[in-house]
Each structure stands twice: as structure tokens, then as C-alpha cells.
Amino acid sequence: MRYVTFALLLLISVSAKTQAGDTSSISGQFNNVKIERLTNELQQKTGYYFYYDARQLDTITFNFSVTNQPLSKVLEIAFGATDFYFGIDGNKRVFITRGQPIFTSLGVARTRASRRTAGARADDDSTARSAFAGVAGVKTLESVTISAALNVRSTTMGVQSIDIKTIKQVPVLFGEADVLRVVLATPGVKTVGEASTGLNVRGGSTDQNLILFNDATIYNPAHFFGMFSAFNPDLVKEVNLYKSSVPARYGGRLSSVLDIEGREGDKKKFTGSAGIGLLTGKLTLEGPIIKDKTSFLFGARSTYADWLLKLLPEQYENSTAGFYDVNLNLSHTFDKSNEIFATGYFSSDRFTLNSDTTFAYQNKNVSLKWRHVFGKVTGTFTGGYDDYMYNTSSTQNPVNAYKLSFNVNQKYLRGHFIYYMNNRHTIDFGFNNIYYTLKPGSLRPYDNSSLVEEHIISNEQALESAVYVGDKFDVSNVFSLEGGLRYSLFNYLGPKSVNTYVAGSPKTEENITGVENFESWKVAKTYGGPEYRVSMRYIFGDQYSIKASFNTQRQYIHMLSNTASMAPTDTWKLSDPNVKPQQGNQVSLGVYKNLVKSTVEISFEIYYKKIKDYLDYKSGARIIMNDHVETDVVNTKGEAYGAEFMIRKLSGKLNGWFSYTYSRILLRQDDPNAGELINNGERYPANYDKPHDATLIANYRINKRLSFSMNATYSTGRPITLPIGRYFYSGSYRTLYGPRNGHRIPDYFRTDFSVNIDGNHKVRQVFHNSWTFGVYNISGRKNPYSVYYVSEGGAINGYKLSIFGSAIPFVTYNIRF
Amino acid sequence: MKKWYLILLLFLTVHCREEYNVVLQTNGNGALVVEGIMNAQGKTKISLSRTTRLADKRVAPETGAFLFIEGENNGAVYSMIETQPGVYESEDNTFDAATKYKLRIKTADNREYETDYKNYILTPRVDSLSWRQTPDGLDVFANASSGSDVKYYKFDYDETWEFHSAFRTFLGFTETSPGSGVYQIVYLDPVNQSVDTTLFVCYNSRSSSSINIVSTDALDSNIVLAPVVSYPRGSIELSVLYSILVKQYGLSKEGYEFYVKMKKNTESLGSIFDAQPSEISGNLKCITDPSELVIGYVEFTTAQEKRLFIDNTALNDWAYKQDCQYYFSNPHLNDADVILQLMKESLVPTIIAEYTSVGGIKKFEVQKEQCVDCRLRGSNIKPDFWP
């Protein structure tokens, strides 16, 4: 949230006076107070929000005391001796600028990129607001970036914040701005291949990321075989990825938290935008319902990709594919201390192959959030319902035509409180409850003519609860500490029949000793324990800091997948008496430096991570429709380590970043009592282990209307288990496999390029339009996605498969109104 | 189930498939594969071969190796000789239960392999073999119950069955004189002119080709009732008389797990979407180069066997049918050209339809060869043990 686009107003001749219409009276003692604390306290006392460039102000300390003074007087005292000016508008907003006086007005400022209300934000996420302000003398559309210099100054490490403007600049497949693709370009984040938006963060598997979209957990963040992410970029404000020190408020996944924050609708006037690309079309509408109080934001996207499938060989011409997603965000402000937000999200994917085999999946999420200010404590209560399901059906052969489906849903209630104790301590605390219901699988005959026997795996349910407390403590001007403690508890609940196994022996079907039955709401198994989150920062001088963190996590829900990428047939499994939760510990250390007036940021981080009870699969594991999955999985120990380097230029005609990551994730299964040893108990790479990874993203703006973007990425090929020979044993020919993940597919390299042309910038025209042209994979390199083997005429032949075997041009047209 | 992927594969990938093969990095032609058991009470038979490339369709026997069984401390050495290419056999031996033994192999290229020293496993005897007919077919079980502490078993079996042709015949085509290319019709038994039996009754046999293993880990007692084979109703194997010889071997836990892994690994053949396969090795190691891969688990155990016969008459409506119809209405002339044509069509004479005035064959009926000559589907040599 930290690169905030500041307001700019065009040609405002309104010479509004700095107003002091406030009636609040403030008393207080401010000794050696930094701007952040000063504004926080003033905000608490007055309900006014502050907007400023933290870079300009965070070196200043304030020393004064006031008794029963209005806000304007307090600010005059505070800034009187400096070259800072302040302005207060009619909406309880305070703007602080340097060098030139500020005038507030009722005009609306917009940035070009997203046409949202441009605004600066206070540095605290719970008080984020949009704002408008004008700087006198600014004559043309210009933008000022306010940097909170987070790279160096923040205590949290391993956090990657990307605003939507950056996301939209990166050239992507078919010109569809993609949130996850950009996250993938940051260090420490990888994916197994092109057709996957499953994230592997610092050696974590794709299910170890908590993906939150407006507080809702998204189980499958992909559209169309993983080629697009399921988030409509027009509705996204900002993306935060926490990969090393995760705030105590988040939990339940080992590797990372990806928090995608949607924006609010415009509370002033109706606006909209529409876009059309090769595969998708989209529409966004927003505006006030009650002016200045209630707003809505609606977005929808849909594909019309069928024409592409028509280009396939004749036997597939009856195939269809499509997806859509719909978002509706409502927000309402009751008063300065009460706001509610309601969000709804629905995404759906459906493919039909040869009109007889169908795959479909859906995410459904609704949430309601109430933010209330209790004096010095700001509280947020969120409740909601998340649901993910897939079903596949085949009517290819009427005799065994089937319907197969899976569903997971969760109902949750969260409370999060922030307490500004004083200028050195900010305390947050809260609770988190999730009630899961899983339908692990049902296989049903498609119709009466099918002989498929109905098979339904009984539901699973569980309660995951957590309480947490965290403290951000500024020990001194240069040293800060952030500590968090979270206690999570997981109850696996009946009704359920759970197999029992011979103790100390591998869990196999042969070793089942009996079945234990649990009635409704009866606790079948409880897991739990404390999680620690500690990070610290020490600043040397002003532009250089070191940070360290230690982080522990527990995960009670696991994805079962027999493909390396995320697939629509992946299912989820709750921890139960036979499947232990995963645990992870991570230590990391980083150095950060800002150059050239903080416009260039350099960061270098190293980490080491241990994972316990990571689920891998036994040879020949059956995952779908398995009543006793525990017999097909095996707990492994994981070890991940790596180094991440990033250099990022935030502003200027040329901006972008370069990142390089070295990372390994190695697993080991060396306990003969747990099941077969994998690779003789030696360490082996997980199937998403890609040691080297480098990405360059560069944007060059020629002028206001024309810019170029480039994206180049290289990574080591992922590991794969290959058949390498055959032999005759026990009466048959058998295939000899190499070591688990003992080979690698060839390395990956791709370059994309795009040109953005904006229409004219006349202020008063109703429609603004822009074009994006580009080429995906400009070198046409056939990057292998996988290697596979088929039996052909008694011999086994290997093939290398590329998803995109050539350069793919694209064009997108966007219109805003 | 995995078809959704197909769309993906096809999606802009029509020309994106390229050949890709990885070459196995092992000594010489491939890894050594060792199969068999060290039999503590009888003849030990070990087969050696090499793994081959995926594209190969042959077995590569490892010839010229030396195999020994060595006792720990007592200096006993039992050697084995190569009886067929890659097959090595010992004398009938009886080993000392208190002594540990190991298998040593020295290949022709002077590389040495061995197992660890081990005591043998005394396999309990097969109590009985039983069978059960169901509406769908027939299942055969092996029952081993004993006070033995053996918990894991492997079953191998050899099956033999008698079967009959659909039709008998009196007649046959033979060449008038060797090499003439001219054929005539003759009585197969010229003296008695009776029905031929050498083409009617045949036998076939098969050895197990799947891995049959059983664990009693989860059972209260070590009683084994292991399904061995099953046949769908109407199978030829049970059409006359069927016999199965079940060989039972006690396994160690490691041996059992080796077979579990091998079984799972080889259920399917290397599609990328299949579940994770894994590397397989066993209990042999290469002394010359410890990193060399050796495949196989040679259990030191004893063998128990039992034979079962199942007569078709004991079954209830087995309903075995052959795809053979009578062709009575279409007699053929006894003519060399006609005979040549019939032979081309794989038709053989069965009965005489019309005699000449002197009692010779004027016209005859024919049948498809496979309905008459059982040798096409087996051997007409009766096995020694056949009743």
C-alpha cells in the first residue's frame, strides 16, 4: 500500500482557502514523535485522515504540546517552523505537502491507469480512504508517487506489494492483465509451467498459499487450465504477498499469504470501463448509491474462446471452453467510526471435450465486513462463506457414463483489532474461526443406462480456530521489533468413520485393523499449537537496513494432486486422525538499500525453512475417489533454502525490476514404518524445485500516450520422474523408473513484449480508450511443459510437450466512460 | 478422468510435440536384474538379465556369470551352474537354520554383487487349495494356516488345462509325394478309418505373470486365505479339466515391500499423468561400484507347493462356447485344385459327404482349422502329472 499515487488536479482554479472547520479540541504532549505517530494520534482524536509523502516527513520529529486546540491550530504549531504546508478539506482529510501550499477542492482527481479516484493513503491499512486534493500551480496531468520507503523502513520482511498500475503494465498472455502472473515475476515465487497459476513460494507447494480476495479464501485461483488467474484486474486495488514474516492475523498455510485487496466503488459519480481482447471481454461499473455514503462496484468477465477450439483437429471440433467471473462490492459509511463492506465473488469454468466429457469448477464467495472504531481501538469483524467445487462427467460410453464431483466450503468469522497504545507500540489481536465442510468425492451414474455403481465418500468436517496477538514495537529510532503469537487449534469432527491401522506399520489397506465411528460434532482428533512470528529491523543511516525474521506455521488442509501443476481435478483433504497437519518453520535475513532518492530499491534476502509432515504420494497412489487416502500418501520432511535478489526502479520514464532467485526444496522420506522409502530414504527434489529463476520487467514511457513493456523470464526445468528402461520380472515386462524427480525437463526461457497506446487525453471527452498490442513468447521458443511417454506398438516412446510452441500476438482494446 | 488435459494439449500445441528420450546411465547395456529365491530346502534357481531401453522388446539374459551361496562362519560354498542362457541352478541343498547365508554373483565383466547374510524363512505349508464358483466365474484360494510367525507371502503358480476341439475329424490333407505341391485327402488312421484323437485333446499351460502377495499384518492370526486366480464364467481353462500348482514363499517385510512397490510401479506404463512412480532396487548391492543400480529381491526362504485339479463336471453350467458352426450343407469335391483352395482358406476336412462307387471319397465337409486342430492353441502332449 505503500506506493501511493498522489492526487493531481488539473487546472483547478478554485482558490479554496485552507479551512479549519473542525470543532475538535486537542490536548496532548508530543515529544520526539514521528509523523506516523503524530498523524495516528490526531486521527484517533479527531477522525481526520492524513495524506502525505512519508519519504519527505519521516526524518522529522515533532516536539510540542497543546491544550484544547483545534486541529488546524495544532497543525500550525507542528509545521510552523518547517517548509511543509497543510490543507484540510470538507471531508475530514488533511493533506501535507512540501514547498507549495495546498488547496483542497471538490474536484475529482483521477489517475489515468485505472480511472479510479486517485488518492493518497495513510500508511495504515485499516484507515485507507480515497482522497482528492489539488496542488496549486499544477497545470497538466502529472502524477506524484508517494513512497513510504517501505523497502528499507518497514519491519515486515519478505512482503511484496504490487499496485494494480504495475500489474497492468506487465505484458501477459493474450493481453489480459493478470494479478498472479505479476506476483510470479517477483523473487521467490515460481510456478511449474505455463498453464498453471499455482504459486510455489519459497519452496512451498501450491496448496501452501493462503489466497485471500477481499477476505475470502480462493481455493482455485485459475481460469482456463491455469492460463489466466481468476481475479478481474479492474477490481483489484493492490496485492500483498507475505512470504517470510507473516503477520499473526494470518495463518493456516505454510508458505505465504497472498492478500488481494479489491477496491471500493466510486462514491461520487457513475463510471465504467469495458475491454475486449482475443479471448475475453469485460465490463466494470461503479458509482454511488447514496452519494458520499454508499457505493457499488460491479465487474464481470467472460470468454468467447470457442473459436480457438474450432481450430483444433476435426475430432475435437465439438469441444467448447469458457469461463466467467462476477464481482460485486458494496460499501457503506455510517459515520466516521462505522463502515460496512459486502463483497460477492463468483467464478465458473467449464470445458466440454467432444461434447461428451465435461469439466467444470466454480468458486463462490460472499463476505460481510464491519469496521468500527472503539476509541483507541479499531475493530474489524468479518464473516463469510467460501465454496469451491468441481465436477466432471463423461457420456462417451453410455455403459460407464459418470458424474464425479468434489466440494469444499468454509464458513468463517474473524475479529481483528488494532490498538495504538502509544507512539512506540501498536498492538493487534483477534480471533479466527473456520468451519470446514468437505465432500471428498461422489461418483454417480450419469443416467439410467449407465452401469456405474454409485460411490460417495462420506463428508468431512472440522473447525479451525485461532487467537493471536501481535505488537509492533519501535525500540528506538533505528530499531523496531514486531512480534506475534498465534495459537491455532484444529478439531476434526464427526460424523465420520475413521480407519485404524497397526501401530508402527505403514498405513496400507492390509494394515487396517478396524473402523472407529464418530457421531455428529464429536471430536475425532484435535491438533494445535502455538505459532511464532518475530521480525526485526535495524536502520543504518537513512537508506540502508537489515532485517531478520522467524516464522512458524501450521496447516490443516491439504491439496491432493497427482499432477505437478494445479488441475481442476485436484481435491482437498482435511487433517484427520490419520493425516497429520503440516508444520513449517522459517528463518530469514535480509539487507535493503535505497538509492537515488529512494527511487531505486535493492533487496537481498536469504531464508531457510523446515517443513514437517509434507504430504507426498506413494508409488501408484490413487487420489480421486479413495475412501482411505491415508494409505496412498506419505509424510515427508522438507527442507527449503534460498536467496533472493531484487532491484526495482519505481518511477521515471524507465521503470521495472529485475529479480533473481536461487532456491531449493528437498524432501525426504526415510521412515520405513511410515511406508515405502522414496529414493532409498535419500533427499529428493520436490516436483516444483527450480533452483534458478530470473525475471526482468521493464516499462519505458516515450510520452503520455505511448509506452513499451517487456518481460523476460528464465528458470531451471522442473524435476520429473521418468521411465528409463524395461526389464522382465515375475512373469512380466516391467518399466524401470529413474529416481523420484531424478530428471529435469529442459530449462524455460520466454520474452514478452507489448506496446500501450492511449487515446487522447482531452479532459472533457466522455470516452477514453487505449490499445495494447503485444507478442507473448516473442522468440517462439518451444518451452517444454512436460515430458510424457506412450506405448506405441509395444515400444515406449517419449515426447516433449510445449504449451505454446510459437510466438503469440495479441491485441486488447479498452474503453473507459 | 484426465481428458480435460487433452484440450490443453491440443490448445495451440498441434506442432509442439517433439521426441524426447533419456538414456539410462548404467553399466554396459543396463542394470542387472536378479530374480529368484535362495531355496533353503531344495534347488535354488536364479535368473539374471539386464534392463533394456524402453523401445526394446526383448529380454537380455546375462550369461557367463558365477553364482554362489556362502555361509557365514562355516565356510560353506554352494555353486550354481547356468542351465539356460541367464538361468542358474544349484543342486538340491539343505541349509542350516542357525547359519546365515548370502548370495554372491560375479558377472562375466568381473563385477561383483551380493545380498546381506540372512537366516532363512521357514515357509509354512499350503494347507489346502480351494475354489468357489460364483455366478460370474470361479475363484481359487490358497489357505495357509499355521503357528508360523511368517507374515508375508508371495504366491507363484503354474496352471495347466486340458481342452478339446469343437469337432473331431477322420480326414486330413497330405501331399501326394513330398515336395510335389499336390495335395490329396486321406484317412488320418488309414487302417481303422477311425476318428483322430491327436487333434482333439490338447493341453495348455501358463505361469503367473502378476505379483501375488499377501500380508497378514492386519489379521488377528497369521491365517492366510489368499485369492490366487479367478476366471470369468465360460473360460476355456475350465472347459474340461484344470489344474493349478501353487508355490508359496514366506517373505521378509522388506521383500514384501519390494514387491508392493514393483506391483504399483508397473501397473501402468509411464504416462505423465499417472501417479508418482518411484525407483526400485532390492536387496542386492554391487560391491565393485556401490552406486550401481541392481534390481531384484532374492529372498532366502523355503518353497511350499500344492496342486489342485478342477473338473468341469464339478461345475454348474460353466457355459464354455467355441466359435465354431457346422457346415453340413456345403460338401466339396475331392479335387486337387479344390483342396488347394480350401487349404488357402485354412479349412480342413472332417467327414465324408459322398462316397465314390468304389467307396473312395467323392465329396467331403470342411471346418475351420481352429475348430478341429487343437494344436493351434496348445500342445497335444499330455503332461506327466495329468490323470
Side-chain angles (χ1 to χ4, degrees):
Chain A
M1 44 197 69
R2 325 320 157 91
Y3 309 109
V4 179
T5 315
F6 197 59
L8 27 133
L9 242 210
L10 18 149
L11 303 172
I12 295 186
S13 48
V14 186
S15 55
K17 281 221 157 195
T18 301
Q19 319 176 4
D22 63 305
T23 52
S24 53
S25 73
I26 300 159
S27 301
Q29 186 83 27
F30 300 91
N31 294 327
N32 275 327
V33 174
K34 290 265 184 193
I35 183 70
E36 192 185 349
R37 296 296 155 215
L38 176 71
T39 54
N40 273 340
E41 285 206 26
L42 291 175
Q43 184 201 320
Q44 296 297 317
K45 288 177 172 162
T46 63
Y48 279 67
Y49 289 89
F50 288 80
Y51 302 90
Y52 56 89
D53 182 345
R55 260 188 309 157
Q56 294 173 345
L57 279 157
D58 67 359
T59 53
I60 297 173
T61 51
F62 298 92
N63 286 292
F64 63 94
S65 64
V66 288
T67 315
N68 284 330
Q69 296 290 336
L71 180 62
S72 53
K73 190 73 189 161
V74 174
L75 293 174
E76 264 173 42
I77 296 168
F79 293 104
T82 68
D83 59 346
F84 287 93
Y85 293 84
F86 66 94
I88 303 176
D89 77 357
N91 284 318
K92 294 206 156 193
R93 283 176 270 221
V94 181
F95 301 93
I96 300 164
T97 53
R98 182 185 224 160
Q100 48 186 324
I102 190 160
F103 295 94
T104 54
S105 86
L106 297 176
V108 175
R110 297 181 186 289
T111 59
R112 285 175 302 130
S114 60
R115 199 180 166 82
R116 63 199 169 124
T117 306
R121 300 179 52 170
D123 193 33
D124 167 52
D125 60 350
S126 65
T127 55
R129 298 293 180 92
S130 58
F132 36 93
V135 177
V138 181
K139 290 207 175 75
T140 51
L141 205 59
E142 283 292 353
S143 71
V144 183
T145 298
I146 296 185
S147 158
L150 212 83
N151 186 43
V152 166
R153 299 201 69 88
S154 89
T155 318
T156 315
M157 69 180 294
V159 59
Q160 209 63 249
S161 299
I162 306 162
D163 64 13
I164 192 64
K165 190 176 152 209
T166 310
I167 290 169
K168 288 188 172 180
Q169 276 176 336
V170 177
V172 281
L173 182 62
F174 303 123
E176 189 69 27
D178 193 317
V179 170
L180 295 183
R181 292 274 162 227
V182 177
V183 171
L184 279 168
T186 64
V189 188
K190 303 173 182 202
T191 188
V192 293
E194 225 132 17
S196 171
T197 50
L199 307 179
N200 298 112
V201 181
R202 288 195 168 174
S205 58
T206 51
D207 67 336
Q208 292 174 349
N209 308 304
L210 181 63
I211 299 175
L212 296 172
F213 182 39
N214 289 327
D215 299 302
T217 304
I218 306 296
Y219 279 88
N220 188 342
H223 275 315
F224 210 34
F225 317 106
M227 283 192 217
F228 305 109
S229 66
F231 309 108
N232 183 342
D234 287 349
L235 303 168
V236 171
K237 178 160 69 186
E238 189 176 65
V239 177
N240 282 294
L241 175 74
Y242 301 92
K243 60 188 178 184
S244 75
S245 65
V246 175
R249 61 186 294 201
Y250 300 115
R253 299 289 190 281
L254 291 195
S255 285
S256 76
V257 176
L258 181 69
D259 187 8
I260 300 165
E261 202 184 328
R263 57 192 186 87
E264 281 177 55
D266 193 325
K267 284 191 170 143
K268 295 288 173 193
K269 72 178 252 207
F270 286 98
T271 61
S273 68
I276 193 160
L278 287 178
L279 290 177
T280 61
K282 59 188 175 183
L283 175 71
T284 308
L285 294 170
E286 61 185 297
I289 295 172
I290 303 168
K291 201 167 181 186
D292 294 333
K293 278 201 173 294
T294 313
S295 72
F296 77 95
L297 172 63
F298 169 83
R301 288 196 296 174
S302 181
T303 45
Y304 35 89
D306 286 353
W307 65 269
L308 246 175
L309 293 168
K310 296 278 181 262
L311 304 178
L312 296 176
E314 200 174 310
Q315 69 260 41
Y316 300 105
E317 71 182 350
N318 289 324
S319 303
T320 59
F323 69 77
Y324 63 89
D325 54 47
V326 182
N327 291 264
L328 180 64
N329 298 357
L330 300 171
S331 64
H332 179 74
T333 308
F334 290 99
D335 53 50
K336 65 174 182 178
S337 54
N338 283 294
E339 284 177 292
I340 58 165
F341 306 89
T343 60
Y345 173 66
F346 183 71
S347 85
S348 174
D349 269 73
R350 185 183 178 86
F351 340 113
T352 304
L353 183 69
N354 297 337
S355 62
D356 59 28
T357 306
T358 300
F359 299 88
Y361 59 90
Q362 281 157 14
N363 286 301
K364 287 180 227 137
N365 306 78
V366 289
S367 73
L368 189 65
K369 181 158 76 177
W370 172 42
R371 184 179 291 146
H372 179 72
V373 181
F374 306 87
K376 286 182 104 177
V377 176
T378 305
T380 312
F381 300 89
T382 313
Y385 175 78
D386 304 327
D387 182 284
Y388 169 68
M389 63 88 80
Y390 80 70
N391 62 60
T392 73
S393 63
S394 173
T395 54
Q396 194 179 15
N397 180 350
V399 176
N400 48 32
Y402 65 86
K403 285 185 287 194
L404 174 78
S405 58
F406 166 83
N407 174 270
V408 53
N409 68 59
Q410 59 180 44
K411 300 171 188 79
Y412 60 89
L413 184 66
R414 298 183 193 130
H416 178 65
F417 305 90
I418 301 174
Y419 170 48
Y420 301 96
M421 196 161 87
N422 55 38
N423 58 11
R424 299 176 78 178
H425 287 278
T426 306
I427 293 178
D428 68 328
F429 54 93
F431 63 89
N432 226 315
N433 289 97
I434 304 172
Y435 178 71
Y436 295 101
T437 312
L438 251 96
K439 297 189 174 92
S442 72
L443 182 68
R444 292 187 168 89
Y446 191 83
D447 52 27
N448 290 336
S449 61
S450 169
L451 300 178
V452 168
E453 205 175 321
E454 185 169 279
H455 180 190
I456 295 170
I457 300 178
S458 62
N459 288 3
E460 291 193 297
Q461 44 278 313
L463 189 64
E464 185 182 333
S465 324
V467 289
Y468 59 87
V469 58
D471 182 15
K472 195 176 162 206
F473 176 32
D474 290 333
V475 181
S476 72
N477 280 347
V478 291
F479 183 56
S480 351
L481 197 62
E482 221 175 297
L485 176 67
R486 179 184 174 94
Y487 193 92
S488 64
L489 195 68
F490 177 85
N491 305 107
Y492 189 76
L493 302 171
K496 187 75 182 173
S497 301
V498 179
N499 288 337
T500 53
Y501 293 85
V502 179
S505 286
K507 291 186 170 66
T508 60
E509 277 179 77
E510 295 77 25
N511 284 343
I512 295 175
T513 55
V515 175
E516 219 179 325
N517 293 305
F518 296 93
E519 287 167 23
S520 285
W521 295 98
K522 191 110 195 244
V523 176
K525 182 76 184 176
T526 298
Y527 294 104
E531 299 167 28
Y532 309 97
R533 318 283 171 78
V534 183
S535 60
M536 57 197 82
R537 178 223 60 194
Y538 193 91
I539 302 184
F540 300 90
D542 198 30
Q543 299 286 321
Y544 172 51
S545 69
I546 59 171
K547 299 176 195 176
S549 76
F550 174 69
N551 199 44
T552 71
Q553 300 272 358
R554 284 163 196 264
Q555 179 167 346
Y556 303 101
I557 183 165
H558 322 274
M559 190 172 78
L560 302 175
S561 169
N562 59 353
T563 60
S565 58
M566 270 191 163
T569 50
D570 293 341
T571 64
W572 293 77
K573 170 85 186 84
L574 292 168
S575 281
D576 68 15
N578 292 313
V579 177
K580 287 188 238 170
Q582 307 175 49
Q583 292 183 44
N585 301 330
Q586 187 187 183
V587 284
S588 40
L589 188 71
V591 288
Y592 307 83
K593 179 136 184 70
N594 287 358
L595 302 169
V596 204
K597 292 179 188 161
S598 292
T599 55
V600 175
E601 296 178 350
I602 297 174
S603 65
F604 179 75
E605 292 186 16
I606 55 173
Y607 66 91
Y608 177 81
K609 200 180 204 176
K610 265 200 143 125
I611 303 169
K612 216 175 105 187
D613 295 325
Y614 173 77
L615 290 184
D616 204 346
Y617 305 99
K618 292 183 185 171
S619 301
R622 196 161 60 88
I623 292 160
I624 294 167
M625 293 310 297
N626 188 341
D627 282 300
H628 38 78
V629 166
E630 62 269 15
T631 61
D632 289 53
V633 298
V634 66
N635 289 321
T636 60
K637 289 178 257 183
E639 216 178 344
Y641 52 88
E644 295 163 4
F645 171 79
M646 186 173 190
I647 179 163
R648 177 164 165 171
K649 186 169 182 293
L650 301 163
S651 53
K653 280 196 156 186
L654 178 67
N655 64 66
W657 70 82
F658 171 76
S659 72
Y660 168 76
T661 310
Y662 175 78
S663 71
R664 296 304 309 270
I665 163 72
L666 300 167
L667 305 175
R668 186 201 286 265
Q669 200 312 86
D670 57 359
D671 177 8
N673 292 329
E676 66 193 40
L677 301 183
I678 297 172
N679 291 2
N680 295 318
E682 300 291 316
R683 298 202 303 177
Y684 64 96
N687 57 13
Y688 48 87
D689 175 66
K690 297 165 82 176
H692 300 282
D693 184 273
T695 302
L696 173 70
I697 286 186
N699 301 299
Y700 188 73
R701 205 175 68 230
I702 304 277
N703 57 39
K704 296 280 171 284
R705 291 177 57 183
L706 180 64
S707 65
F708 295 94
S709 299
M710 192 192 89
N711 169 28
T713 177
Y714 163 85
S715 64
T716 317
R718 68 183 171 88
I720 184 171
T721 309
L722 287 184
I724 52 176
R726 71 189 325 217
Y727 58 99
F728 193 84
Y729 206 97
S730 206
S732 288
Y733 280 105
R734 302 188 187 272
T735 307
L736 175 67
Y737 288 92
R740 172 87 58 106
N741 294 336
H743 288 85
R744 286 182 182 277
I745 62 173
D747 290 352
Y748 185 94
F749 179 71
R750 195 191 79 230
T751 310
D752 314 323
F753 181 76
S754 73
V755 185
N756 304 293
I757 303 166
D758 270 17
N760 71 59
H761 284 145
K762 283 178 190 156
V763 176
R764 298 195 184 281
Q765 68 184 350
V766 179
F767 295 102
H768 295 261
N769 58 54
S770 67
W771 288 90
T772 304
F773 303 93
V775 183
Y776 182 87
N777 193 18
I778 202 162
S779 62
R781 182 180 154 93
K782 291 183 170 68
N783 281 305
Y785 175 73
S786 71
V787 168
Y788 67 100
Y789 285 77
V790 285
S791 184
E792 290 170 335
I796 302 158
N797 295 318
Y799 293 95
K800 190 174 84 171
L801 177 84
S802 311
I803 304 288
F804 302 110
S806 58
I808 298 175
F810 59 83
V811 58
T812 311
Y813 179 69
N814 284 300
I815 185 159
R816 309 186 302 269
F817 48 86
Chain B
M1 298 290 294
K2 279 148 186 168
K3 269 205 192 134
W4 66 271
Y5 222 89
L6 247 180
I7 311 176
L8 175 58
L9 302 191
L10 289 161
F11 185 70
L12 298 170
T13 63
V14 182
H15 300 294
C16 304
R17 198 176 89 147
E18 291 172 11
E19 274 204 31
Y20 183 82
N21 278 302
V22 179
V23 181
L24 173 62
Q25 303 291 318
T26 45
N27 168 44
N29 289 322
L32 186 67
V33 180
V34 185
E35 184 182 7
I37 61 154
M38 276 161 69
N39 192 340
Q41 296 172 351
K43 202 175 259 200
T44 293
K45 187 173 158 189
I46 305 280
S47 306
L48 299 187
S49 61
R50 291 276 172 186
T51 61
T52 58
R53 291 181 306 132
L54 286 172
D56 283 346
K57 296 180 211 169
R58 63 190 170 93
V59 185
E62 178 72 5
T63 59
F66 296 95
L67 282 81
F68 312 91
I69 296 170
E70 271 184 22
E72 192 181 37
N73 304 326
N74 69 0
V77 176
Y78 306 88
S79 64
M80 300 170 69
I81 54 160
E82 191 169 2
T83 54
Q84 296 166 49
V87 179
Y88 302 81
E89 287 183 54
S90 74
E91 310 273 303
D92 268 358
N93 296 314
T94 305
F95 291 89
D96 174 17
T99 307
K100 293 181 171 181
Y101 295 86
K102 72 175 177 187
L103 175 70
R104 291 186 53 195
I105 301 168
K106 191 173 178 182
T107 53
D109 60 356
N110 272 326
R111 295 175 84 84
E112 290 195 53
Y113 305 84
E114 63 179 32
T115 64
D116 289 336
Y117 281 115
K118 272 178 97 176
N119 291 107
Y120 70 79
I121 294 163
L122 184 63
T123 307
R125 62 188 190 83
V126 186
D127 268 9
S128 64
L129 296 173
S130 57
W131 58 270
R132 188 178 65 199
Q133 191 179 1
T134 64
D136 301 326
L138 180 134
D139 306 308
V140 178
F141 301 90
N143 314 277
S145 60
S146 70
S148 165
D149 53 4
V150 175
K151 291 180 135 188
Y152 310 97
Y153 295 89
K154 180 170 195 279
F155 296 96
D156 287 348
Y157 53 85
D158 296 319
E159 298 171 282
T160 312
W161 59 94
E162 180 180 328
F163 64 97
H164 296 167
S165 294
F167 306 111
R168 296 163 198 257
T169 182
F170 298 84
L171 309 169
F173 296 132
T174 56
E175 231 171 347
T176 48
S177 59
S180 67
V182 179
Y183 288 81
Q184 61 183 359
I185 188 162
V186 296
Y187 285 98
L188 289 171
D189 180 0
V191 181
N192 301 318
Q193 300 190 354
S194 63
V195 169
D196 176 83
T197 52
T198 61
L199 303 180
F200 185 68
V201 178
C202 282
Y203 307 88
N204 212 337
S205 64
R206 180 164 57 214
S207 294
S208 46
S209 63
S210 57
I211 296 169
N212 302 284
I213 41 176
V214 169
S215 155
T216 62
D217 260 354
L219 304 178
D220 291 338
S221 60
N222 296 339
I223 297 169
V224 179
L225 179 68
V228 183
V229 289
S230 45
Y231 284 103
R233 181 164 170 256
S235 302
I236 188 173
E237 286 85 350
L238 286 133
S239 63
V240 183
L241 182 63
Y242 168 85
S243 176
I244 182 167
L245 176 69
V246 174
K247 290 177 266 185
Q248 171 178 299
Y249 308 99
L251 296 181
S252 61
K253 184 173 177 163
E254 299 74 46
Y256 173 74
E257 277 160 12
F258 169 85
Y259 285 113
V260 168
K261 202 162 160 180
M262 179 177 276
K263 196 176 165 74
K264 285 192 167 175
N265 257 349
T266 51
E267 269 167 6
S268 61
L269 242 184
S271 143
I272 203 78
F273 304 118
D274 291 332
Q276 293 269 14
S278 55
E279 191 185 30
I280 194 149
S281 47
N283 68 339
L284 286 121
K285 54 181 183 287
C286 178
I287 308 294
T288 323
D289 174 8
S291 66
E292 188 182 318
L293 175 67
V294 196
I295 295 165
Y297 198 97
V298 177
E299 195 71 77
F300 189 27
T301 183
T302 58
Q304 293 287 349
E305 56 182 49
K306 201 163 194 87
R307 181 175 288 284
L308 169 75
F309 282 96
I310 305 173
D311 196 314
N312 177 268
T313 55
L315 302 180
N316 198 0
D317 184 23
W318 187 247
Y320 168 67
K321 297 247 177 357
Q322 300 194 57
D323 180 23
C324 295
Q325 286 138 18
Y326 288 89
Y327 292 113
F328 275 129
S329 51
N330 187 21
H332 298 270
L333 259 182
N334 184 359
D335 170 88
D337 290 340
V338 171
I339 289 172
L340 268 183
Q341 183 56 36
L342 291 170
M343 287 175 69
K344 273 184 197 155
E345 293 169 29
S346 291
L347 295 167
V348 295
T350 50
I351 52 171
I352 295 161
E354 202 179 328
Y355 291 89
T356 60
S357 54
V358 295
I361 302 166
K362 184 178 178 191
K363 282 185 175 172
F364 56 91
E365 296 285 352
V366 294
Q367 284 295 343
K368 288 189 276 183
E369 196 174 11
Q370 66 265 31
C371 296
V372 175
D373 188 350
C374 67
R375 295 173 305 175
L376 295 172
R377 291 178 290 164
S379 156
N380 59 4
I381 299 162
K382 186 173 171 177
D384 303 336
F385 57 85
W386 211 250

